[in-house]
Amino acid sequence: MYTQALNDPKSKATHIAAEDPVRNAKFMEKVSAEQRIEPNDWMPTPYRKTLVRQISQHAHSEIVGMLPEGNWITRAPTLRRKATLLAKVQDEGGHGLYLYSAAETLGVSREELDEQLLTGKARYSSIFNYPTLSWADIGTIGWLVDGAAIMNQIPLCRCSYGPYSRAMVRICKEESFHQRQGYEIMIALANGTKEQKEMAQDALNRWWWPSIMMFGPHDKDSTHSDQSMAWKIKRFSNDDLRQKFIDATVPQAHFLGLEVPDPELSFNEETGHWEIGPIDWSEFKEVLAGNGPCNKERIAAQRKKHREGEWVREAALAHARKREARKQQAKEAA
Amino acid sequence: MEKSELVPLWEVFVRSKNGLSHSHAGSVHAVDAEMALQNARDVYTRRQEGVSIWVVPSAEIVASDPGDKDELFEPAESKIYRHPTFYDIPDEVGHM
């Protein structure tokens, strides 16, 4: 089966993956030959664990990511922008669900994953712990945050784990709309009044560095990278992807007539790359440690949603059971 | 919630257009078939990806064991005479 119904109390976990060098060698052979690993195939326990961690973190990020943007749905400046933002936020929810569904194929239940998010045990992308203070933030998020997500996610379409790679193909197709609608907002603001242009610049000032940090620590400090590369979960290093992002977005900022908030930013004629100044990792670590501007607010919102939806889930289940029982009775009577 | 009160999982199959068969798209949680269809529609067909949806309780799917792969599928590997290219026919005869 594609997805194990692991929250079904009757089903037993079918994988008790005893670490086995022969099977592991076969597994690595398959991965190296670019063959995909599917849910019921044997896989090393750390591979499974890494995937559950990465995919669920990714799913949580999509779900939490609905909050900063949802903040502006009722205040979108035109009906066109409002319809777009609604569709985008709905997409983020959809992305979360594709990814939860991929994570569930690895033997973890949806309820466990929800629990990990609500108790703060699981992480999500630290970028969503920043507030959306003005309409320009919605443009900047689409342009930079979704832009960075695209850079990160395109290589994941070739990830060795089948369900994850298939979910990523679907997500990447939709992400392109997100990035373009964001940049379009920025064009409108950059070509608007003085105040609108200032708003765009202010948003860029606040989102630039957090976006740069979305690619994670420098390669030399990255703890999971080598193994993930060997397993072909990851294809490019953090620094390579970050550089690609910088090379793409600096000219885009200039096109808007905006200034990148980095006094050391310079173009290296020899390499053809834009070079940035040092990254302030202390801020990244603070946000990761739970001390970002919105960490508490985001988790509180997730908990509220879970708590207030409880009776709906219960009522829906009770209703379904009652209908099932009635159908059964009618069958017996007939 | 009690363990027995968890929302079941459903597999979703989508036919992208008439003339093609349904293919697996992913899964959703839902209390009954009706809700599963509604959720599948919202999650997997936001951009006209389908004209028809099937939902099947995940627990009802019977699958072959990957461990039996060789036993099940390898015997076909040596039976090359099941393919038309196995047979030598002069070019001038042409093919049907």
Side-chain angles (χ1 to χ4, degrees):
Chain A
M1 82 191 83
Y2 270 98
T3 312
Q4 288 177 303
L6 281 141
N7 64 6
D8 178 352
K10 280 170 290 189
S11 84
K12 289 201 186 76
T14 48
H15 290 273
I16 297 143
E19 292 312 305
D20 172 334
V22 179
R23 286 172 128 179
N24 192 47
K26 260 195 172 164
F27 168 86
M28 282 313 293
E29 208 176 285
K30 244 169 119 174
V31 169
S32 307
E34 295 292 338
Q35 285 179 34
R36 295 288 184 262
I37 306 301
E38 293 295 342
N40 282 359
D41 291 342
W42 186 88
M43 60 187 91
T45 310
Y47 175 81
R48 184 185 300 275
K49 269 196 175 150
T50 301
L51 280 170
V52 169
R53 184 178 49 84
Q54 182 170 337
I55 301 173
S56 61
Q57 251 179 39
H58 197 159
H60 296 326
S61 303
E62 302 282 355
I63 299 298
V64 177
M66 296 168 84
L67 295 167
E69 291 186 291
N71 183 32
W72 280 88
I73 289 175
T74 55
R75 290 176 288 167
T78 66
L79 193 55
R80 179 178 181 268
R81 297 279 187 224
K82 186 172 181 164
T84 300
L85 187 56
L86 264 172
K88 181 181 190 291
V89 172
Q90 193 189 5
D91 271 357
E92 306 299 359
H95 295 178
L97 293 175
Y98 307 155
L99 289 162
Y100 282 130
S101 141
E104 286 176 81
T105 65
L106 289 159
V108 59
S109 77
R110 181 66 176 283
E111 288 79 7
E112 282 171 77
L113 296 174
D114 286 346
E115 167 95 7
Q116 287 170 3
L117 175 64
L118 297 174
T119 55
K121 246 174 80 187
R123 280 186 174 158
Y124 55 87
S125 182
S126 57
I127 194 88
F128 300 117
N129 288 317
Y130 291 89
T132 41
L133 303 177
S134 81
W135 173 250
D137 289 23
I138 300 305
T140 313
I141 287 178
W143 167 34
L144 294 180
V145 176
D146 290 288
I150 291 173
M151 296 272 172
N152 263 325
Q153 289 171 349
I154 285 180
L156 285 173
C157 295
R158 292 187 294 130
C159 160
S160 59
Y161 188 57
Y164 193 25
S165 79
R166 290 191 286 275
M168 290 320 305
V169 169
R170 203 179 272 277
I171 290 174
C172 284
K173 273 190 202 159
E174 301 180 352
E175 210 72 71
S176 163
F177 138 62
H178 296 179
Q179 194 271 344
R180 289 171 69 95
Q181 65 84 35
Y183 197 74
E184 199 198 69
I185 293 175
M186 296 310 279
I187 292 176
L189 292 173
N191 293 315
T193 62
K194 185 170 158 283
E195 286 80 4
Q196 284 174 318
K197 197 165 177 182
E198 278 169 11
M199 210 161 96
Q201 181 64 58
D202 169 63
L204 176 57
N205 291 349
R206 283 179 291 109
W207 290 96
W208 174 256
W209 287 107
S211 303
I212 296 290
M213 289 186 244
M214 275 179 77
F215 294 91
H218 285 306
D219 297 345
K220 59 178 173 39
D221 308 317
S222 179
T223 42
H224 302 296
S225 278
D226 288 348
Q227 186 57 71
S228 285
M229 290 269 205
W231 280 330
K232 294 192 190 287
I233 294 174
K234 203 174 163 141
R235 299 271 175 175
F236 297 98
S237 79
N238 294 355
D239 285 331
D240 286 351
L241 287 170
R242 183 169 13 244
Q243 188 57 50
K244 240 176 122 175
F245 174 77
I246 292 164
D247 288 334
T249 50
V250 169
Q252 288 171 351
H254 293 161
F255 180 85
L256 294 169
L258 299 179
E259 203 183 315
V260 175
D262 177 359
E264 291 181 46
L265 182 75
S266 65
F267 187 71
N268 184 327
E269 295 281 355
E270 246 167 67
T271 60
H273 291 300
W274 285 94
E275 288 170 3
I276 58 166
I279 299 172
D280 176 13
W281 291 107
S282 60
E283 179 189 319
F284 182 71
K285 282 179 192 136
E286 272 299 293
V287 180
L288 219 54
N291 303 320
C294 298
N295 294 55
K296 292 190 178 70
E297 190 185 324
R298 300 293 183 235
I299 291 296
Q302 292 300 325
R303 286 187 188 148
K304 179 168 179 261
K305 179 189 78 181
H306 189 76
R307 198 174 53 240
E308 291 181 359
E310 186 90 69
W311 73 268
V312 180
R313 290 190 294 275
E314 274 173 20
L317 258 179
H319 180 65
R321 291 242 167 79
K322 215 153 101 187
R323 288 221 310 197
E324 190 53 40
R326 256 188 227 142
K327 224 161 74 187
Q328 209 58 43
Q329 270 172 4
K331 234 190 229 165
E332 278 158 22
Chain B
M1 270 192 261
E2 292 291 306
K3 267 262 176 229
S4 59
E5 286 181 336
L6 298 174
V7 179
L9 191 64
W10 302 70
E11 297 304 317
V12 179
F13 300 83
V14 175
R15 184 202 294 288
S16 55
K17 59 178 184 184
N18 277 9
L20 297 177
S21 45
H22 287 75
S23 62
H24 186 249
S27 58
V28 291
H29 286 273
V31 294
D32 58 16
E34 201 184 329
M35 187 193 273
L37 270 179
Q38 185 64 47
N39 288 353
R41 175 231 178 235
D42 289 346
V43 177
Y44 294 104
T45 62
R46 286 194 306 284
R47 287 177 177 76
Q48 296 180 293
E49 289 95 336
V51 293
S52 160
I53 300 173
W54 289 346
V55 290
V56 183
S58 303
E60 296 293 323
I61 290 185
V62 181
S64 63
D65 183 338
D68 296 339
K69 196 175 72 155
D70 292 352
E71 205 173 299
L72 287 173
F73 306 113
E74 220 158 55
E77 206 177 284
S78 57
K79 297 183 176 58
I80 47 171
Y81 48 84
R82 286 179 175 170
H83 297 278
T85 45
F86 180 74
Y87 300 92
D88 285 327
I89 303 287
D91 283 348
E92 57 264 38
V93 177
H95 51 80
M96 302 291 270

